[in-house]
Amino acid sequence: MIDLLLEAGIGVVSLPMCNLYLQDRPAGRTPRRRGVTLLHELAAAGVPVMLASDNCRDPFYAFGDHDLLEVFRADTAA
């Protein structure tokens, strides 16, 4: 799959704060499968990789303010 992205000239944007919050959130049980896409592997293969967040004062993250440094801080704290 990575080689197809590279061949097609497609870059990948990861929304880690949103993904880690929303993935595998069924009601009534602890989330089991969460994560971020293969960022290191994609970048090593030459696929353009970007991080972003679209959680700006929305129900998922009411404190977001388009601050990319906040995204890096939150994602590297773990």
Side-chain angles (χ1 to χ4, degrees):
M1 176 74 88
I2 292 176
D3 56 334
L4 295 175
L5 291 170
L6 188 59
E7 182 180 331
I10 295 174
V12 174
V13 179
S14 177
L15 305 172
M17 291 173 76
C18 184
N19 292 347
L20 292 171
Y21 179 81
L22 292 176
Q23 287 177 343
D24 195 30
R25 284 188 64 90
R29 74 167 173 82
T30 302
R32 291 174 172 80
R33 298 184 60 128
R34 291 190 179 186
V36 176
T37 193
L38 304 172
L39 296 175
H40 293 286
E41 293 82 353
L42 289 163
V47 174
V49 173
M50 293 133 295
L51 292 175
S53 178
D54 62 352
N55 297 326
C56 298
R57 307 207 190 284
D58 63 14
F60 303 118
Y61 189 68
F63 306 104
D65 61 2
H66 297 286
D67 183 357
L68 190 55
L69 292 177
E70 179 184 15
V71 175
F72 283 117
R73 180 199 54 76
D75 295 328
T76 58

